[in-house]
Amino acid sequence: MAIRDRIRVLIDVGAGSIREEVVEATREGGAVETHRDDGLTYITETNKNGLARRTVTVADARVVAIIEEPDRAPRKETPSAQS
């Protein structure tokens, strides 16, 4: 995923309540990644060097939904150099 892409995670917090966590790629070259390991779900925003900026960790049993939302804004195209 690329800049302005986001992942929303809906988390069951008990008693019929749901909490939403949003992780968004906020800087140029950044990305948002999801991975599961040992009964946990990790959603991480990384910078262009691949280092984690922010991580949300949730137990798999609590995850209701993971929603990936790619940025749909129109991109400005750079004019190509003509000789």
Coordinates of all heavy atoms in Angstrom, one line a residue:
M1 N 0.8 -1.2 0.0 CA 0.0 0.0 0.0 C 0.9 1.2 0.0 O 2.0 1.2 0.4 CB -0.9 0.0 1.2 CG -1.8 -1.3 1.2 SD -3.1 -1.2 2.5 CE -4.3 -0.3 1.7
A2 N 0.4 2.4 -0.4 CA 1.2 3.6 -0.6 C 0.6 4.7 0.2 O -0.3 4.6 1.0 CB 1.2 4.0 -2.1
I3 N 1.2 5.9 0.0 CA 0.8 7.1 0.8 C -0.7 7.3 0.7 O -1.3 7.1 -0.3 CB 1.6 8.3 0.4 CG1 1.3 9.5 1.3 CG2 1.2 8.7 -1.0 CD1 2.2 10.7 1.1
R4 N -1.3 7.7 1.8 CA -2.7 7.9 2.1 C -3.5 6.7 2.0 O -4.7 6.8 2.2 CB -3.2 9.0 1.1 CG -2.7 10.4 1.4 CD -3.4 11.4 0.6 NE -3.2 11.2 -0.9 CZ -2.1 11.7 -1.6 NH1 -1.2 12.3 -1.0 NH2 -2.1 11.4 -2.8
D5 N -2.9 5.5 1.8 CA -3.7 4.3 2.0 C -3.8 4.0 3.4 O -3.0 4.5 4.2 CB -2.9 3.1 1.3 CG -2.9 3.2 -0.2 OD1 -3.6 4.0 -0.8 OD2 -2.1 2.4 -0.7
R6 N -4.9 3.3 3.8 CA -5.1 3.1 5.2 C -5.7 1.7 5.5 O -6.3 1.1 4.6 CB -6.0 4.2 5.8 CG -7.5 4.1 5.4 CD -8.3 5.2 6.1 NE -7.8 6.4 5.8 CZ -8.4 7.3 5.0 NH1 -9.6 7.1 4.6 NH2 -7.9 8.5 4.7
I7 N -5.5 1.2 6.7 CA -6.1 0.0 7.1 C -6.9 0.3 8.4 O -6.4 0.9 9.3 CB -5.1 -1.1 7.4 CG1 -4.4 -1.5 6.1 CG2 -5.7 -2.3 8.0 CD1 -3.3 -2.5 6.2
R8 N -8.2 -0.1 8.3 CA -9.1 0.1 9.5 C -9.2 -1.3 10.1 O -9.5 -2.3 9.4 CB -10.4 0.6 9.1 CG -10.3 2.0 8.6 CD -11.7 2.6 8.2 NE -12.8 1.9 8.7 CZ -14.0 1.9 8.1 NH1 -14.2 2.5 6.9 NH2 -15.0 1.2 8.6
V9 N -9.1 -1.4 11.5 CA -9.3 -2.6 12.2 C -10.4 -2.4 13.2 O -10.4 -1.5 14.0 CB -8.0 -3.0 13.0 CG1 -8.2 -4.4 13.6 CG2 -6.8 -3.1 12.0
L10 N -11.4 -3.3 13.1 CA -12.5 -3.3 14.0 C -12.3 -4.3 15.1 O -12.0 -5.5 14.8 CB -13.9 -3.6 13.3 CG -14.2 -2.6 12.2 CD1 -15.5 -3.0 11.5 CD2 -14.2 -1.2 12.6
I11 N -12.3 -3.9 16.3 CA -11.9 -4.7 17.5 C -13.0 -4.9 18.4 O -13.6 -3.9 18.9 CB -10.7 -4.1 18.2 CG1 -9.5 -3.8 17.2 CG2 -10.2 -4.9 19.4 CD1 -8.5 -2.9 17.8
D12 N -13.3 -6.1 18.8 CA -14.3 -6.4 19.8 C -13.8 -6.2 21.2 O -12.8 -6.8 21.6 CB -14.7 -7.9 19.7 CG -15.8 -8.3 20.7 OD1 -16.3 -7.5 21.4 OD2 -16.0 -9.6 20.8
V13 N -14.4 -5.2 21.9 CA -13.9 -4.9 23.2 C -14.8 -5.4 24.3 O -14.6 -5.1 25.5 CB -13.7 -3.3 23.4 CG1 -12.5 -2.9 22.5 CG2 -14.9 -2.6 23.1
G14 N -15.7 -6.3 24.0 CA -16.6 -6.9 24.9 C -17.9 -6.1 25.1 O -18.0 -5.0 24.7
A15 N -18.9 -6.8 25.7 CA -20.2 -6.2 26.0 C -20.9 -5.7 24.7 O -21.6 -4.7 24.7 CB -20.1 -5.1 27.0
G16 N -20.6 -6.3 23.5 CA -21.2 -5.9 22.3 C -20.6 -4.6 21.7 O -21.2 -4.0 20.8
S17 N -19.5 -4.1 22.2 CA -18.9 -2.9 21.8 C -17.8 -3.2 20.8 O -17.1 -4.1 20.9 CB -18.4 -2.0 22.9 OG -19.4 -1.7 23.8
I18 N -17.6 -2.3 19.8 CA -16.6 -2.4 18.8 C -15.8 -1.1 18.8 O -16.3 0.0 18.8 CB -17.2 -2.6 17.4 CG1 -18.0 -3.9 17.5 CG2 -16.1 -2.7 16.4 CD1 -17.6 -5.0 16.6
R19 N -14.5 -1.2 18.8 CA -13.6 -0.1 18.7 C -12.9 -0.1 17.3 O -12.6 -1.2 16.8 CB -12.5 -0.1 19.8 CG -11.6 1.1 19.8 CD -10.6 1.1 20.9 NE -9.5 0.2 20.4 CZ -8.7 -0.5 21.2 NH1 -8.9 -0.5 22.5 NH2 -7.8 -1.2 20.7
E20 N -12.6 1.0 16.8 CA -11.9 1.1 15.5 C -10.6 1.7 15.6 O -10.4 2.8 16.3 CB -12.8 1.9 14.5 CG -12.1 2.1 13.1 CD -12.9 3.0 12.2 OE1 -13.3 4.1 12.6 OE2 -13.2 2.6 11.1
E21 N -9.6 1.1 15.1 CA -8.2 1.6 15.0 C -7.9 1.9 13.5 O -8.2 1.0 12.7 CB -7.2 0.7 15.6 CG -7.2 0.5 17.1 CD -6.6 1.7 17.8 OE1 -5.8 2.5 17.2 OE2 -7.0 2.0 18.9
V22 N -7.3 3.0 13.2 CA -7.0 3.3 11.8 C -5.5 3.6 11.7 O -4.9 4.4 12.5 CB -7.7 4.6 11.3 CG1 -7.3 4.9 9.9 CG2 -9.2 4.4 11.4
V23 N -4.8 2.9 10.8 CA -3.4 3.1 10.6 C -3.3 3.6 9.1 O -3.8 2.9 8.2 CB -2.6 1.8 10.8 CG1 -1.1 2.1 10.5 CG2 -2.8 1.3 12.2
E24 N -2.7 4.8 8.9 CA -2.6 5.4 7.6 C -1.2 5.7 7.2 O -0.4 6.1 8.1 CB -3.4 6.7 7.6 CG -3.5 7.3 6.2 CD -4.4 8.5 6.2 OE1 -5.0 8.8 7.3 OE2 -4.6 9.1 5.2
A25 N -0.8 5.4 6.0 CA 0.5 5.8 5.4 C 0.5 7.3 5.3 O -0.2 7.8 4.4 CB 0.8 5.1 4.1
T26 N 1.2 8.1 6.1 CA 1.1 9.5 6.1 C 2.2 10.3 5.4 O 2.1 11.4 5.2 CB 1.0 10.0 7.6 OG1 2.2 9.6 8.3 CG2 -0.2 9.5 8.3
R27 N 3.2 9.6 5.1 CA 4.4 10.3 4.4 C 4.7 9.6 3.1 O 4.5 8.4 2.9 CB 5.6 10.2 5.3 CG 5.3 11.0 6.6 CD 6.6 11.3 7.3 NE 6.3 12.0 8.5 CZ 7.1 12.8 9.1 NH1 8.3 13.0 8.6 NH2 6.8 13.4 10.2
E28 N 5.3 10.4 2.2 CA 5.7 9.9 0.9 C 6.7 8.7 1.1 O 7.6 8.8 1.9 CB 6.5 11.0 0.2 CG 6.7 10.7 -1.3 CD 5.4 10.7 -2.1 OE1 4.5 11.5 -1.9 OE2 5.2 9.7 -2.8
G29 N 6.4 7.7 0.4 CA 7.3 6.5 0.4 C 6.9 5.5 1.5 O 7.5 4.5 1.7
G30 N 5.9 5.9 2.4 CA 5.5 5.1 3.5 C 4.6 4.0 3.0 O 4.0 4.1 1.9
A31 N 4.3 3.1 3.9 CA 3.4 2.0 3.5 C 2.7 1.5 4.8 O 3.1 1.8 5.9 CB 4.1 0.8 2.9
V32 N 1.6 0.8 4.6 CA 0.9 0.1 5.7 C 0.9 -1.4 5.5 O 0.6 -1.8 4.4 CB -0.5 0.7 5.9 CG1 -1.2 0.0 7.1 CG2 -0.6 2.2 6.0
E33 N 1.3 -2.2 6.4 CA 1.4 -3.6 6.2 C 0.6 -4.3 7.4 O 0.6 -3.9 8.5 CB 2.8 -4.0 6.3 CG 3.7 -3.3 5.2 CD 5.2 -3.5 5.4 OE1 5.6 -4.2 6.4 OE2 5.9 -3.1 4.6
T34 N 0.0 -5.5 7.0 CA -0.6 -6.3 8.0 C 0.0 -7.7 8.0 O 0.4 -8.2 7.0 CB -2.1 -6.5 7.6 OG1 -2.7 -5.3 7.4 CG2 -2.9 -7.4 8.6
H35 N 0.2 -8.2 9.2 CA 0.8 -9.5 9.3 C 0.3 -10.2 10.6 O 0.0 -9.5 11.6 CB 2.3 -9.5 9.1 CG 3.2 -9.9 10.2 ND1 4.5 -9.6 10.2 CD2 3.0 -10.6 11.3 CE1 5.1 -10.1 11.3 NE2 4.2 -10.7 11.9
R36 N 0.1 -11.5 10.6 CA -0.4 -12.3 11.7 C 0.7 -13.3 12.1 O 1.3 -13.9 11.3 CB -1.6 -13.0 11.3 CG -2.8 -12.1 10.9 CD -3.9 -12.9 10.5 NE -5.0 -12.7 11.5 CZ -6.3 -12.9 11.2 NH1 -6.6 -13.3 10.1 NH2 -7.2 -12.6 12.1
D37 N 0.8 -13.4 13.4 CA 1.8 -14.3 14.0 C 1.5 -14.7 15.4 O 1.1 -13.8 16.2 CB 3.2 -13.7 13.9 CG 4.3 -14.7 14.2 OD1 4.1 -15.9 14.0 OD2 5.4 -14.2 14.6
D38 N 1.5 -15.9 15.8 CA 1.3 -16.4 17.2 C 0.0 -15.9 17.8 O 0.0 -15.5 19.0 CB 2.5 -16.0 18.1 CG 3.8 -16.7 17.7 OD1 3.7 -17.8 17.2 OD2 4.9 -16.1 17.9
G39 N -1.1 -15.9 17.0 CA -2.3 -15.5 17.6 C -2.5 -14.0 17.7 O -3.5 -13.5 18.3
L40 N -1.6 -13.2 17.1 CA -1.7 -11.7 17.1 C -1.8 -11.2 15.7 O -1.2 -11.7 14.8 CB -0.6 -11.1 17.9 CG -0.4 -11.5 19.4 CD1 0.9 -10.9 19.9 CD2 -1.6 -10.9 20.2
T41 N -2.4 -10.1 15.5 CA -2.5 -9.3 14.3 C -1.7 -8.0 14.5 O -2.0 -7.3 15.4 CB -3.9 -9.0 13.8 OG1 -4.6 -10.3 13.6 CG2 -3.9 -8.3 12.5
Y42 N -0.8 -7.8 13.6 CA 0.0 -6.6 13.6 C -0.3 -5.7 12.4 O -0.2 -6.2 11.3 CB 1.5 -6.9 13.6 CG 2.0 -7.8 14.7 CD1 2.0 -9.2 14.6 CD2 2.4 -7.2 15.9 CE1 2.4 -10.0 15.6 CE2 2.8 -8.0 17.0 CZ 2.8 -9.4 16.8 OH 3.2 -10.2 17.8
I43 N -0.6 -4.4 12.6 CA -0.8 -3.5 11.5 C 0.2 -2.4 11.7 O 0.2 -1.7 12.8 CB -2.2 -2.9 11.5 CG1 -3.3 -4.0 11.3 CG2 -2.4 -1.9 10.4 CD1 -3.8 -4.6 12.5
T44 N 1.1 -2.2 10.8 CA 2.3 -1.4 10.9 C 2.4 -0.3 9.8 O 2.3 -0.7 8.7 CB 3.6 -2.2 10.9 OG1 3.5 -3.2 12.0 CG2 4.8 -1.3 11.2
E45 N 2.6 0.9 10.2 CA 2.9 2.0 9.3 C 4.4 2.1 9.2 O 5.1 2.2 10.3 CB 2.4 3.3 9.7 CG 2.8 4.5 8.8 CD 2.5 5.8 9.3 OE1 1.9 6.0 10.5 OE2 2.8 6.8 8.6
T46 N 5.0 2.0 8.0 CA 6.5 2.0 7.9 C 6.8 3.3 7.1 O 6.1 3.8 6.3 CB 7.0 0.8 7.2 OG1 6.4 0.7 5.9 CG2 6.7 -0.5 7.9
N47 N 8.1 3.7 7.3 CA 8.6 4.8 6.5 C 9.3 4.3 5.2 O 9.3 3.1 5.0 CB 9.5 5.7 7.3 CG 10.8 5.0 7.8 OD1 11.1 3.9 7.3 ND2 11.5 5.6 8.7
K48 N 9.8 5.2 4.4 CA 10.4 4.7 3.1 C 11.6 3.8 3.3 O 11.9 3.1 2.4 CB 10.7 5.9 2.3 CG 11.7 6.9 2.8 CD 11.9 8.1 1.9 CE 12.8 9.1 2.6 NZ 12.9 10.3 1.8
N49 N 12.2 3.8 4.5 CA 13.3 2.9 4.7 C 12.9 1.6 5.3 O 13.7 0.7 5.6 CB 14.3 3.6 5.7 CG 14.9 4.9 5.1 OD1 15.1 4.9 3.9 ND2 15.2 5.8 5.9
G50 N 11.6 1.4 5.5 CA 11.1 0.1 6.0 C 11.1 0.0 7.5 O 10.7 -1.0 8.0
L51 N 11.4 1.1 8.2 CA 11.3 1.1 9.7 C 9.9 1.4 10.2 O 9.2 2.3 9.6 CB 12.3 2.2 10.2 CG 13.8 1.9 9.8 CD1 14.6 3.1 10.3 CD2 14.3 0.6 10.4
A52 N 9.5 0.7 11.2 CA 8.2 0.9 11.8 C 8.0 2.3 12.4 O 8.9 2.7 13.2 CB 7.9 -0.2 12.8
R53 N 6.9 3.0 12.1 CA 6.6 4.3 12.7 C 5.6 4.1 13.8 O 5.6 4.7 14.8 CB 6.1 5.3 11.7 CG 7.1 5.8 10.7 CD 6.5 6.7 9.6 NE 5.6 7.6 10.2 CZ 5.8 8.9 10.6 NH1 7.1 9.3 10.6 NH2 4.9 9.6 11.2
R54 N 4.6 3.2 13.5 CA 3.5 3.0 14.4 C 3.0 1.6 14.2 O 2.8 1.1 13.1 CB 2.3 4.0 14.1 CG 1.1 3.7 15.0 CD 0.0 4.7 14.7 NE -1.1 4.4 15.5 CZ -2.4 4.4 15.1 NH1 -2.6 4.8 13.9 NH2 -3.3 4.1 15.9
T55 N 2.7 0.9 15.3 CA 2.2 -0.5 15.2 C 1.0 -0.7 16.1 O 1.0 -0.3 17.2 CB 3.3 -1.5 15.5 OG1 4.4 -1.4 14.7 CG2 2.7 -2.9 15.5
V56 N -0.1 -1.3 15.6 CA -1.2 -1.6 16.4 C -1.2 -3.2 16.5 O -1.1 -3.9 15.4 CB -2.5 -1.2 15.7 CG1 -3.7 -1.7 16.4 CG2 -2.6 0.3 15.6
T57 N -1.3 -3.7 17.7 CA -1.2 -5.1 17.9 C -2.5 -5.5 18.6 O -2.9 -5.0 19.6 CB 0.0 -5.5 18.8 OG1 1.2 -5.0 18.3 CG2 0.1 -7.0 19.0
V58 N -3.2 -6.6 18.0 CA -4.5 -7.0 18.5 C -4.5 -8.5 18.5 O -4.0 -9.2 17.6 CB -5.6 -6.5 17.6 CG1 -7.0 -6.9 18.2 CG2 -5.5 -5.0 17.4
A59 N -5.1 -9.1 19.6 CA -5.3 -10.6 19.6 C -6.2 -11.0 18.5 O -7.3 -10.3 18.2 CB -5.8 -11.0 20.9
D60 N -5.9 -12.0 17.7 CA -6.7 -12.5 16.6 C -8.2 -12.7 17.0 O -9.1 -12.4 16.3 CB -6.2 -13.8 16.1 CG -5.0 -13.6 15.2 OD1 -4.7 -12.5 14.8 OD2 -4.3 -14.6 14.9
A61 N -8.4 -13.2 18.3 CA -9.8 -13.5 18.7 C -10.6 -12.2 18.8 O -11.8 -12.3 18.8 CB -9.7 -14.2 20.1
R62 N -10.0 -11.1 19.0 CA -10.7 -9.8 19.1 C -10.9 -9.1 17.8 O -11.7 -8.2 17.7 CB -9.9 -8.9 20.0 CG -9.7 -9.4 21.4 CD -10.9 -9.0 22.2 NE -10.7 -9.4 23.6 CZ -11.7 -9.4 24.5 NH1 -12.9 -9.1 24.1 NH2 -11.5 -9.8 25.7
V63 N -10.3 -9.5 16.7 CA -10.4 -8.8 15.4 C -11.8 -9.2 14.8 O -12.1 -10.4 14.6 CB -9.3 -9.2 14.5 CG1 -9.5 -8.6 13.1 CG2 -8.0 -8.7 15.0
V64 N -12.6 -8.2 14.5 CA -13.9 -8.4 13.9 C -13.7 -8.3 12.4 O -14.2 -9.1 11.6 CB -14.9 -7.4 14.4 CG1 -16.2 -7.5 13.6 CG2 -15.2 -7.5 15.9
A65 N -13.0 -7.3 11.9 CA -12.7 -7.1 10.5 C -11.5 -6.2 10.3 O -11.1 -5.4 11.1 CB -13.9 -6.3 9.9
I66 N -10.8 -6.5 9.2 CA -9.7 -5.7 8.7 C -10.1 -5.2 7.3 O -10.3 -5.9 6.4 CB -8.4 -6.5 8.6 CG1 -8.0 -7.1 10.0 CG2 -7.3 -5.7 8.0 CD1 -6.8 -8.0 10.0
I67 N -10.1 -3.8 7.2 CA -10.6 -3.2 6.0 C -9.4 -2.4 5.4 O -8.9 -1.5 6.0 CB -11.8 -2.3 6.3 CG1 -12.9 -3.1 7.0 CG2 -12.3 -1.6 5.0 CD1 -13.8 -2.2 7.8
E68 N -9.0 -2.8 4.2 CA -7.9 -2.1 3.5 C -8.6 -1.1 2.6 O -9.5 -1.4 1.8 CB -7.1 -3.0 2.7 CG -6.3 -4.0 3.6 CD -5.4 -4.9 2.8 OE1 -5.4 -4.8 1.5 OE2 -4.7 -5.7 3.4
E69 N -8.2 0.2 2.7 CA -8.7 1.3 1.9 C -7.6 2.0 1.1 O -7.0 2.9 1.6 CB -9.4 2.3 2.8 CG -10.6 1.7 3.6 CD -11.2 2.7 4.5 OE1 -10.6 3.7 4.8 OE2 -12.4 2.5 4.9
P70 N -7.4 1.6 -0.1 CA -6.4 2.3 -0.9 C -6.9 3.7 -1.2 O -8.1 4.0 -1.3 CB -6.3 1.5 -2.2 CG -7.6 0.6 -2.3 CD -8.1 0.5 -0.9
D71 N -5.9 4.6 -1.4 CA -6.2 6.0 -1.7 C -6.8 6.1 -3.1 O -6.2 5.6 -4.1 CB -5.0 6.9 -1.6 CG -5.2 8.3 -2.0 OD1 -6.3 8.8 -1.7 OD2 -4.3 8.9 -2.5
R72 N -8.0 6.7 -3.3 CA -8.6 6.8 -4.6 C -8.6 8.2 -5.2 O -9.2 8.5 -6.2 CB -10.1 6.4 -4.4 CG -10.3 5.0 -4.0 CD -10.1 4.0 -5.1 NE -10.5 2.7 -4.6 CZ -10.0 1.6 -5.0 NH1 -9.0 1.7 -5.9 NH2 -10.4 0.5 -4.6
A73 N -7.8 9.1 -4.5 CA -7.7 10.5 -5.0 C -6.9 10.4 -6.4 O -6.0 9.7 -6.5 CB -6.9 11.3 -4.0
P74 N -7.4 11.3 -7.3 CA -6.7 11.3 -8.6 C -5.2 11.8 -8.4 O -5.0 12.7 -7.6 CB -7.5 12.3 -9.4 CG -8.4 13.0 -8.5 CD -8.5 12.2 -7.2
R75 N -4.3 11.2 -9.1 CA -2.9 11.6 -9.0 C -2.6 12.6 -10.1 O -3.1 12.5 -11.2 CB -2.0 10.4 -9.2 CG -2.3 9.3 -8.3 CD -1.4 9.3 -7.1 NE -1.5 8.1 -6.4 CZ -1.7 8.1 -5.1 NH1 -1.6 9.2 -4.4 NH2 -1.8 7.0 -4.4
K76 N -1.8 13.6 -9.7 CA -1.3 14.6 -10.7 C -0.1 13.9 -11.5 O 0.8 13.4 -10.8 CB -0.8 15.8 -10.1 CG -1.9 16.7 -9.4 CD -1.4 17.9 -8.9 CE -2.5 18.8 -8.3 NZ -2.0 20.0 -7.7
E77 N -0.3 13.9 -12.8 CA 0.8 13.3 -13.6 C 1.8 14.4 -13.9 O 1.5 15.5 -14.2 CB 0.3 12.7 -14.9 CG -0.6 11.5 -14.6 CD -1.0 10.8 -15.9 OE1 -0.2 10.9 -16.8 OE2 -2.0 10.2 -15.9
T78 N 3.1 14.0 -13.8 CA 4.2 15.0 -14.1 C 4.4 14.9 -15.6 O 4.4 13.9 -16.2 CB 5.5 14.6 -13.4 OG1 5.8 13.2 -13.7 CG2 5.3 14.7 -11.9
P79 N 4.5 16.1 -16.2 CA 4.8 16.1 -17.6 C 6.1 15.5 -18.0 O 7.1 15.7 -17.3 CB 4.7 17.6 -18.0 CG 4.9 18.3 -16.7 CD 4.5 17.4 -15.6
S80 N 6.1 14.7 -19.0 CA 7.4 14.1 -19.4 C 8.2 15.1 -20.1 O 7.7 16.0 -20.8 CB 7.1 12.9 -20.3 OG 6.4 13.3 -21.4
A81 N 9.5 15.0 -19.9 CA 10.5 15.9 -20.6 C 10.6 15.6 -22.1 O 10.8 14.4 -22.4 CB 11.8 15.8 -19.9
Q82 N 10.4 16.5 -22.9 CA 10.5 16.3 -24.3 C 11.7 17.1 -24.9 O 11.9 18.2 -24.5 CB 9.2 16.7 -25.1 CG 8.0 15.9 -24.6 CD 6.8 16.3 -25.4 OE1 6.8 17.3 -26.1 NE2 5.7 15.6 -25.2
S83 N 12.5 16.5 -25.7 CA 13.6 17.2 -26.3 C 13.4 17.7 -27.7 O 12.7 17.1 -28.4 CB 14.8 16.2 -26.3 OG 15.1 15.7 -25.1

